[in-house]
């Protein structure tokens, strides 16, 4: 802290039995005093004044302060001997609500939460917080004609009493009016379908924030501004800054992409709103100003993992290609064992974030362990997202695969429908302090519709992240898979089950766990089970230590004799590009390896 109180070594006597906040507040007030710029007499008088003000905040209005400065010039030491005197107590509380806010529960809740009562010692801060909270609620909930008709904190030191008065006249509550869109290259009706409110509903600034957020999630726009217009055909609000600077408190009331239930308003907005004249409007039109996002966006990613070694990713995204908001994404992924090219064409429906058709195509070459395959895929899918954030995808996939697995070669054409449900929830996506991911899918193939192999396949996955306090983090998960088929020889490697690696069972190499043939080559399994638990502990700052245990295998029949288990220790560094994970794992069921190193970049999910 830049103030002189640290160097001055302020010592305070006489208030030891009081709340330590009182002494801290005195030091805080004195922090702004610079003795090098003042005479000794001025230092003494300012110290007296500031210390008394700091005491009044806690209800001490009859304080006697004796101070002594050292003989240095400027002084470096000061002793304060304080006799706090009697403390003012609250004699009367009068908090009133008038206007429509009288029947609006959050306002009454704010008053009910006031922590002081008649007979309690006076503290100024709760009164100031209540006043600010009521003002913010008025703006957040559409009471743009609000004003305080009474705002008094009367202190009577001679009577050792205080009276607190606060009366809010909210006026009428405004309602959402018509929404005006400008600058959009996307059909307006498509954007109006995404509204989180209906014209005529009571105004709530959080709904503007949610609508802003939804527009941003489409990826269609480079900039988004969602603003209430209080006065038709005139400037929105009084300017709070000179021309040429920011947009005044217009910009502060503007609903940006914040947490939907906690819109933030600054004090300048609160003060300026009190001066706004509504001229009798009962509805607030909403202006939405948009600019298109870049039509072509490119991204290059470089990474490394012990499973696949160095890896390179190149993507070309077209977030919009027409006025309906259709998009096209291309992706190239290169690593030593795997190379793939894929593309997705998306056709959003009435609710673009929740409902869409997707058409996907891809080529994939894989050469790892005992697996070699070249695969071409086409897929058409219908996607729904529900209110509870579960996503349902119904799809039909066609796959042509030329592969060799464990020395056996096949070329097969598969046509199979499937359905998938998934949900991912996280807080702080870069390094989640809370989150979970669920996924379950079913697929079926049959010769009745021309597929060259019959199978029924199910996969499931669950993963959880939880924090205990600020320094302990638990990551746990489980995966299962099962397939029923009489044509296993025709099942391509991408549909068989393998375990082992950074994201499966650490201590074992990538996809090295599966049944083997008589020659010891991996064949892949018809069932899969994996489970993992990891406990992380913050060491210092962005550095964490980890201890983990993983177990699992791929097999041909349920109930394998022994699951393969690995355990170890690791280090996590939360870098600007995401967590970097370094693990040393011991495989308990691999006699050829005593330990294995795993290295990866990126969050768990």
């Amino acid at each position: 802290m830049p103030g002189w109180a640290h160097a001055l070594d302020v010592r305070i006597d006489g208030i030891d039995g009081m709340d330590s906040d009182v002494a801290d507040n005195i030091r805080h007030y004195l922090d702004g005093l610079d003795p090098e710029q003042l005479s000794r007499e001025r230092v003494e008088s300012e110290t007296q004044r500031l210390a008394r003000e700091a005491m009044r905040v806690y209800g001490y209005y009859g304080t006697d302060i004796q101070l002594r400065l050292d003989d240095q010039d400027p002084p470096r030491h000061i002793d304060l001997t304080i006799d706090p005197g009697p403390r003012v107590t609250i004699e009367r509380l009068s908090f009133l609500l008038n206007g429509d806010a009288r029947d609006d529960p959050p306002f009454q809740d704010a008053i009910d939460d006031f922590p002081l009562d008649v007979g309690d010692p006076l503290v100024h801060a709760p009164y100031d917080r209540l006043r600010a909270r009521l003002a913010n609620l008025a703006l957040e909930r559409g009471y743009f004609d609000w004003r305080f008709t009474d705002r008094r904190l009367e202190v009577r030191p001679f009577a050792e009493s205080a009276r607190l008065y606060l009366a809010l006249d909210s006026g009428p509550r405004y309602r959402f009016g018509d929404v005006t869109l400008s600058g959009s290259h996307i059909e307006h009706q498509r954007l109006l379908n995404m509204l989180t409110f209906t014209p005529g509903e009571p105004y709530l600034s959080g709904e503007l924030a949610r609508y802003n957020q939804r527009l941003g999630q489409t990826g269609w726009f480079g900039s988004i501004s969602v603003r209430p217009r209080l006065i038709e055909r005139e400037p929105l609000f009084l300017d709070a800054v000179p021309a040429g600077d920011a947009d005044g408190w217009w910009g502060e009331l503007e609903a940006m992409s914040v947490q939907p239930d906690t819109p933030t308003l600054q004090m300048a907005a609160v003060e300026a709103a009190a001066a706004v004249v509504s001229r009798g409007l009962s509805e607030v039109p909403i202006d939405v100003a948009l600019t298109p996002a870049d039509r072509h966006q490119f991204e290059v990613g470089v990474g490394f993992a012990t499973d696949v070694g160095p890896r390179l990713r190149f993507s070309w995204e077209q977030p919009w290609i027409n006025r309906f908001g259709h998009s096209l994404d291309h992706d190239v992924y290169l690593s030593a064992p795997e190379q793939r090219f894929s593309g997705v064409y998306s056709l959003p429906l009435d609710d673009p974030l929740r409902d869409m058709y997707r058409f996907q195509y891809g080529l994939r070459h894989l050469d790892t362990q005992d697996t070699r395959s070249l695969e071409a895929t086409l897929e058409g899918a219908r996607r729904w997202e529900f209110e509870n954030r579960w996503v349902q995808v119904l799809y039909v996939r066609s796959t042509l695969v030329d592969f060799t697995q464990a020395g056996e070669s096949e070329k097969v054409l598969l046509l199979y429908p499937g359905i998938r449900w998934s949900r991912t929830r996280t807080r702080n996506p870069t390094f989640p302090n809370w989150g979970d991911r669920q996924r379950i899918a079913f697929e079926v193939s049959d010769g009745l519709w021309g597929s060259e192999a019959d199978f029924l396949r199910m996969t499931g996955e669950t993963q959880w992240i939880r924090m205990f306090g600020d320094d302990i983090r638990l990551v746990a998960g489980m995966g299962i898979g099962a397939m029923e088929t009489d044509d296993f020889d025709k099942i391509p490697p991408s549909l068989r089950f393998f375990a082992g690696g950074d994201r499966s069972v650490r201590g074992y190499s990538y996809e090295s766990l599966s049944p083997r043939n008589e020659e010891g080559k991996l064949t892949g399994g018809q069932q899969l089970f994996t489970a993992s638990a990891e406990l992380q502990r913050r060491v210092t700052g962005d550095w964490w230590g980890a201890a983990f245990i993983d177990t699992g295998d791929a097999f041909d029949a349920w109930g394998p004799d022994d699951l393969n288990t690995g355990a170890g220790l690791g280090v996590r560094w939360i870098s600007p590009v995401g967590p970097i994970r370094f693990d040393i794992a011991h495989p308990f069921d691999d006699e050829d390896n005593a330990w294995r190193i795993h290295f990866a970049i990126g969050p768990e999910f």
Side-chain angles (χ1 to χ4, degrees):
M1 299 175 64
W4 66 287
H6 290 291
L8 195 62
D9 186 27
V10 175
R11 291 186 291 272
I12 302 174
D13 295 322
I15 57 175
D16 295 338
M18 300 164 54
D19 191 329
S20 63
D21 290 344
V22 178
D24 291 342
N25 199 48
I26 293 174
R27 291 188 174 91
H28 174 72
Y29 269 62
L30 295 178
D31 279 340
L33 193 62
D34 186 355
E36 295 185 359
Q37 305 298 320
L38 303 171
S39 66
R40 290 181 67 88
E41 292 75 13
R42 184 68 183 277
V43 169
E44 290 181 356
S45 63
E46 284 298 296
T47 300
Q48 285 269 4
R49 182 182 66 83
L50 293 172
R52 292 181 192 279
E53 288 184 8
M55 294 290 290
R56 290 189 189 109
V57 170
Y58 285 90
Y60 296 97
Y61 280 78
T63 303
D64 179 67
I65 301 176
Q66 303 294 324
L67 63 86
R68 184 175 64 83
L69 301 177
D70 63 23
D71 296 332
Q72 300 183 59
D73 190 18
R76 293 300 179 207
H77 303 278
I78 186 171
D79 291 318
L80 295 178
T81 302
I82 298 177
D83 177 6
R87 192 172 187 182
V88 170
T89 59
I90 297 174
E91 178 185 36
R92 182 175 181 183
L93 290 175
S94 177
F95 300 147
L96 300 176
L97 293 172
N98 294 306
D100 289 353
R102 182 173 46 204
D103 300 318
D104 199 351
F107 288 86
Q108 189 60 53
D109 291 343
I111 292 175
D112 292 342
D113 291 341
F114 188 73
L116 305 179
D117 206 343
V118 172
D120 290 341
L122 174 64
V123 181
H124 288 203
Y127 178 81
D128 295 334
R129 286 195 295 267
L130 175 61
R131 186 177 61 189
R133 184 176 175 186
L134 292 177
N136 276 287
L137 281 172
L139 281 180
E140 292 169 8
R141 302 183 67 80
Y143 299 92
F144 295 113
D145 297 328
W146 70 275
R147 65 190 181 95
F148 287 118
T149 56
D150 195 2
R151 186 177 59 180
R152 289 178 292 152
L153 195 160
E154 296 181 356
V155 179
R156 303 181 179 188
F158 61 89
E160 300 174 12
S161 66
R163 299 177 180 181
L164 281 61
Y165 301 91
L166 194 61
L168 174 73
D169 183 359
S170 69
R173 185 174 186 182
Y174 284 61
R175 296 180 177 272
F176 286 112
D178 293 333
V179 178
T180 301
L181 300 165
S182 63
S184 174
H185 54 298
I186 305 298
E187 276 195 336
H188 286 188
Q189 188 57 49
R190 187 155 297 227
L191 304 182
L192 294 176
N193 289 342
M194 299 171 60
L195 284 173
T196 58
F197 56 88
T198 302
E201 289 181 346
Y203 177 90
L204 194 62
S205 65
E207 295 302 325
L208 299 188
R210 276 187 278 272
Y211 185 48
N212 186 297
Q213 189 176 56
R214 297 199 76 196
L215 292 174
Q217 289 172 348
T218 64
W220 294 335
F221 305 107
S223 67
I224 303 167
S225 173
V226 182
R227 301 176 174 179
R229 185 185 350 127
L230 292 185
I231 301 177
E232 292 278 8
R233 298 179 297 278
E234 292 190 15
L236 179 64
F237 298 121
L238 300 178
D239 288 336
V241 295
D245 288 338
D247 290 337
W249 77 278
W250 167 294
E252 293 172 295
L253 185 60
E254 187 174 328
M256 302 307 292
S257 297
V258 298
Q259 290 296 324
D261 295 326
T262 56
T264 301
L265 296 172
Q266 298 186 13
M267 204 56 207
V270 175
E271 294 171 354
V276 172
V277 179
S278 67
R279 299 188 181 179
L281 290 178
S282 60
E283 292 188 343
V284 182
I286 304 301
D287 292 331
V288 182
L290 307 162
T291 60
D294 293 337
R295 196 162 190 171
H296 301 277
Q297 301 176 10
F298 302 93
E299 182 178 336
V300 176
V302 179
F304 179 88
T306 48
D307 281 348
V308 298
R311 56 193 181 192
L312 174 67
R313 178 177 174 267
F314 176 79
S315 66
W316 169 27
E317 298 184 6
Q318 295 175 267
W320 59 275
I321 59 177
N322 56 32
R323 62 190 178 92
F324 301 107
H326 295 183
S327 63
L328 181 61
D329 300 337
H330 303 279
D331 189 88
V332 176
Y333 173 87
L334 301 174
S335 68
E338 180 182 7
Q339 305 84 45
R340 66 173 182 260
F341 168 76
S342 62
V344 179
Y345 188 90
S346 300
L347 291 79
L349 300 177
D350 289 342
D351 188 338
L353 293 179
R354 293 186 173 181
D355 302 322
M356 67 178 62
Y357 287 106
R358 301 181 67 182
F359 299 95
Q360 185 171 347
Y361 55 90
L363 291 171
R364 179 174 183 254
H365 176 260
L366 181 66
D367 188 350
T368 179
Q369 297 281 353
D370 300 318
T371 302
R372 290 181 178 84
S373 71
L374 180 62
E375 180 176 295
T377 300
L378 291 174
E379 178 183 296
R382 173 69 162 90
R383 179 186 184 274
W384 297 264
E385 181 174 342
F386 305 112
E387 292 287 347
N388 58 9
R389 298 179 61 182
W390 279 93
V391 175
Q392 174 181 281
V393 179
L394 184 64
Y395 57 91
V396 176
R397 183 178 300 159
S398 175
T399 301
L400 177 62
V401 191
D402 187 352
F403 69 93
T404 300
Q405 183 68 51
E408 300 292 332
S409 298
E410 286 284 351
K411 186 175 183 179
V412 61
L413 174 65
L414 300 177
L415 178 64
Y416 54 98
I419 188 169
R420 179 174 67 248
W421 294 277
S422 63
R423 183 178 68 179
T424 299
R425 302 180 296 177
T426 61
R427 299 172 188 166
N428 184 24
T430 301
F431 189 65
N433 52 25
W434 181 95
D436 59 72
R437 178 173 64 181
Q438 323 296 332
R439 183 180 181 278
I440 186 169
F442 296 91
E443 298 167 325
V444 60
S445 176
D446 198 288
L448 291 175
W449 48 76
S451 188
E452 295 181 358
D454 298 344
F455 65 82
L456 175 63
R457 186 173 186 269
M458 183 276 290
T459 56
E461 178 185 16
T462 182
Q463 192 169 7
W464 301 81
I465 296 175
R466 291 293 185 268
M467 289 283 290
F468 300 93
D470 295 327
D471 300 323
I472 297 178
R473 186 171 182 260
L474 175 66
V475 182
M478 183 178 67
I480 58 173
M483 178 188 299
E484 183 65 34
T485 181
D486 293 328
D487 301 318
F488 189 71
D489 292 343
K490 295 183 179 181
I491 302 299
S494 60
L495 295 177
R496 302 184 187 191
F497 295 109
F498 299 85
D502 296 341
R503 293 183 175 270
S504 179
V505 183
R506 283 165 288 188
Y508 300 85
S509 60
Y510 180 56
E511 295 193 347
S512 63
L513 300 179
S514 91
R516 297 175 181 266
N517 63 12
E518 295 177 355
E519 299 175 0
K521 295 182 178 182
L522 299 170
T523 62
Q526 296 189 54
Q527 283 85 34
L528 173 75
F529 175 81
T530 61
S532 175
E534 176 174 311
L535 190 65
Q536 301 173 359
R537 178 76 162 81
R538 189 194 303 270
V539 178
T540 179
D542 292 330
W543 290 90
W544 295 65
F548 59 86
I549 182 169
D550 300 339
T551 189
D553 204 349
F555 34 86
D556 287 330
W558 282 108
D561 295 335
D562 295 296
L563 293 175
N564 292 278
T565 301
L569 301 173
V571 175
R572 308 287 181 265
W573 176 50
I574 316 307
S575 75
V577 297
I580 296 176
R581 307 192 301 276
F582 179 84
D583 294 325
I584 298 178
H586 171 64
F588 292 102
D589 305 292
D590 189 344
E591 298 178 356
D592 297 330
N593 295 289
W595 51 271
R596 185 174 183 85
I597 293 176
H598 296 272
F599 178 82
I601 300 175
E604 288 82 4
F605 55 86

